[in-house]
Amino acid sequence: MGNATKPGNGEFENTAPIEQIAPNAIFFNEVPTLLAEVDTNLTYSNLNRAYAEFFGRTVEATVGLHVSQVLGASYGEARQHLESALSGVYERYQFLAPHNSGSDRWLDVRYLPKHNSKNEVVGVFVVVSDVDEIVRSRVVIEQRNKSLERMNQELIDFSYSLSHDLKAPLTSIAALLDVCREDLQDGHITELLPNIERAKNHAERLAGRIENVLTLAKSEITECAADELNIAERVDAICKLLGVDSHAELVTEFNHVEPFFSDHTRFTAIVQNLLSNSVKFVDNNKPQHRISIRTWGDEEWLHCSIEDNGIGIPEKYQSKVFEKFERMPNHSESGSGLGLAIVKRNIDFMEGEISFQSDSNTTRFEFRIPNLRARE
Amino acid sequence: MNLLFVIVDDEETDRYLMRRSLKKTGVDAELLEFSTGDDFIAAIYDDQSPLVIKSTACTVLVVLDINMPGLNGFEVVDKIAQGIEQERLPKELYVILMCSSSEHPDDKLDALNRSIVREYMAKPVTAEKLRDIIDQYCKIDQ
């Protein structure tokens, strides 16, 4: 490389074409940049080690090969750029090339037309940088940005709904206390007790909402555990807790594969919220309230359906059922509008799926969650 | 009596508090209550509804909650405005007040941007406030 650089100032002194200096220069083979030269037939006349090794080849075995033999399926994309370079145009593009590891990598490719003394194009210099990490991290960053934007919007919506839904009961309680004080001062005691009772109900509902908000928040931040679950026992305990028996005729059928491993808390949150809706939204026009819980599945998935003959979800609200703070009209007293949002969050977190069908006869929620042991 | 006072609110307690404030104003009004916006909208188009029968001879003062399941307060207002525009509902009959426990500036703006909404009030609405509004917007015989 003695004639390539001028010691001391580091500037190129020699303006000779690369093919004259490169074969003799150690740096040509040592630079990490992929360098090559192709002739007008698109065969390699020269290349460095980085270029050959990227494609899992040696320099010697590659000289004389056609570009298509080295690029394989990626040649199609390179071809138009090469042809354009052969017509004298400087080309730069990025594409996925087959790396020797077996997985494709993103390359930043420049084609520089090589001219002879008559200014005719006699080949193309190829200068390639491996930009795989940059491109891939840019994709990841873009995805993260999008998800951050979405989360931010969700947070704004959430805090708005939250401020209303937590504030509304407090406003009511304060107003009821004012009313009670007024009545006491005026000596009117007939409405005192019912108003104290009202205030107490609001306070209890508020406590319930805060509990739900915390459950929801927790379901978004805690890790997924993988405990062995006794599904039948768990479902039974939830039914007892909700008093399902006293509200409806209950049928359970457990046909899933055991052992089943999942997150105990999340599974409970899902089933408890679905069942509590079944219990809450009974249709008093029907002679018998029925709720059935069924499980089935294989080594990988637990499927579970919870079905009732309650009032159902009117079609126009069906698209909103999994949204936070959505409540059905005429049942505002009973819910925080968070139950199904909690269900959905937990299912999503466990990488499961949930769907439902509802009409005035039957409402059926069906979900599946992975057996975490089977996934290991 | 020529004032029909309508409360549309999903919260039983809030309807009670509003009733109480109305009673305290001493204004003689007929009272109607709806627990959803859907029910209220159904009633204003129902020829058998007391709302329609009485309304021809009086002012209808509607106190409308914003956050309700089903049709929310804004959607209710838009449906009334639509009805007036299509001449299915009488113009100049409804005096609409929106109220909410939210003091979100967007809500207030959204409410007052609707031309048929006269006032936006934060809950709880006191008797004094209600009396002022009735005096201002309703021509009633006292």
Side-chain angles (χ1 to χ4, degrees), chain A residues 11 50 53 131 159 197 204 240 315 321 350:
Chain A
E11 279 177 16
E53 281 176 356
V131 291
S159 62
E197 200 57 38
E204 281 170 359
K240 283 211 172 73
E315 210 176 324
V321 293
M350 296 164 93

Side-chain angles (χ1 to χ4, degrees), chain A residues 55-73:
Chain A
F55 297 100
R57 295 169 184 273
T58 62
V59 171
E60 295 74 22
T62 310
V63 171
L65 289 182
H66 192 266
V67 175
S68 63
Q69 291 173 285
V70 174
L71 295 187

